[in-house]
Amino acid sequence: MRKHGKILVALLLMLCSVTMLFAQGTTEEAEKTYTIVFNEPFTRPHTLAEAANMFKEIVEERSAGAIKVDVHYGGVLGTSREALEAVQIGTQTMVDAATAPIVAFDPAFGVLNLPYLFSSRQQWYGVLDGKLGQDLLKRLETKGFVGLAYLENGVRHVTNNTRPVYKWEDLKGIKIRLMQNQVFISTFESFGSLTTTTPWGELYAALQQKVVDAQENPVSNIENAKLYEVQKYLSLTGHTYDPNILFINKKFFDSLPANLQQIVRDASKEVAEWQRKAATDAEGKILANLGNYMEINEVSPAEIARFRDACKSVYDSQSATIGKDIVNAWVEAVK
């Protein structure tokens, strides 16, 4: 009996030790905190910067402090390309990235920049949120990214100091700054423009010093960067819709417990829905404000059709890089 009693005591002690170790591990896991270093290219009150702040508030509140989101506004941690590289290797955690530099990681993303691909925001959102858009995001998981959501940078228009642009021929000979993306470059070369890829942070000075004549961007970016101070004409060419994409480092995301991963995904979706509406609602007010400083002209539907015809060759020339099957699938999706 004495021998059996000793064995029972030993078993109970072992069980207590295992229980204590398990409890300690559970407590440590519950107390572990994570920090997201978020590179946001714009400053508040740009809707993309406000979206970054909203993401921070939602994630920190719902995770009860388990995730801290450290947002750096105005691209102070680097350009979109530099930020993407930093997120890829894990020195930064998250970025609100423009589509153009993403092409360097996977040329298929060039499909998002094809000129006059979409005819309405509703069409744009439907494709991005559907299978094609989500499959495109998944392509970068092998490169170290998790794509969380498509936000809206906006509809891109041309500004310049030479003349109003009513037809594509008005762009002939104008030196225009573009993002470093072959789809954009090929598009404006088809209009007869002279192209350059001046970095965004140097654009204001380049326009001010007349190193370049023109640039193209959504109206929110034109206002946010105060380009109206150094540009005379704003022509509503609407040559492409431009999403921004929330990316997070895959290794970091995979290290999060499942419940925290879900919080990050849900917050991204909510922020995207809010920001798209905010960007759309703000557009009219921004145009009215820009009208105080610039001459704004619309481009007629007939001339937009001529713009579209003039750059048709871009679809063929860029299919070899983007992927012919991908271009065809997106063209079919918007018909």
Side-chain angles (χ1 to χ4, degrees), residues 38 46-56 151 271 274-275:
F38 190 150
H46 193 291
T47 59
L48 286 169
E50 294 299 336
N53 183 65
M54 182 178 176
F55 175 86
K56 168 186 170 69
L151 282 69
V271 163
W274 173 85
Q275 190 272 335

Side-chain angles (χ1 to χ4, degrees), residues 176-335:
I176 186 168
R177 177 269 177 187
L178 305 170
M179 288 189 287
Q180 194 167 355
N181 175 298
Q182 193 55 49
V183 176
F184 282 94
I185 294 168
S186 295
T187 297
F188 280 87
E189 285 179 347
S190 72
F191 300 144
S193 302
L194 306 175
T195 64
T196 181
T197 54
T198 306
W200 172 251
E202 300 171 18
L203 178 57
Y204 185 99
L207 292 168
Q208 187 178 45
Q209 296 164 14
K210 303 188 187 307
V211 176
V212 293
D213 308 311
Q215 65 86 48
E216 50 81 52
N217 256 293
V219 294
S220 56
N221 297 3
I222 295 166
E223 182 186 55
N224 191 253
K226 299 184 178 180
L227 299 185
Y228 54 83
E229 295 178 347
V230 289
Q231 292 277 266
K232 183 175 181 180
Y233 304 107
L234 166 58
S235 302
L236 304 182
T237 53
H239 47 276
T240 188
Y241 285 93
D242 194 19
N244 264 38
I245 305 176
L246 290 180
F247 282 111
I248 192 167
N249 175 269
K250 188 175 188 303
K251 186 175 180 181
F252 173 87
F253 185 78
D254 289 346
S255 74
L256 296 175
N259 66 313
L260 296 184
Q261 288 184 3
Q262 195 60 49
I263 286 171
V264 169
R265 285 195 182 278
D266 289 346
S268 300
K269 183 178 178 182
E270 289 178 36
V271 163
E273 290 176 355
W274 173 85
Q275 190 272 335
R276 290 174 182 179
K277 185 177 187 306
T280 305
D281 292 345
E283 197 169 65
K285 294 177 183 178
I286 292 171
L287 276 170
N289 181 49
L290 292 176
N292 295 321
Y293 308 96
M294 308 174 77
E295 293 183 26
I296 302 176
N297 71 276
E298 293 190 8
V299 181
S300 71
E303 289 299 332
I304 290 293
R306 292 188 67 247
F307 268 95
R308 185 179 284 109
D309 287 340
C311 61
K312 272 184 178 178
S313 61
V314 176
Y315 284 69
D316 292 329
S317 67
Q318 296 306 305
S319 286
T321 303
I322 296 170
K324 190 171 183 178
D325 291 347
I326 291 171
V327 171
N328 289 343
W330 282 71
V331 170
E332 285 299 315
V334 299
K335 279 186 177 178

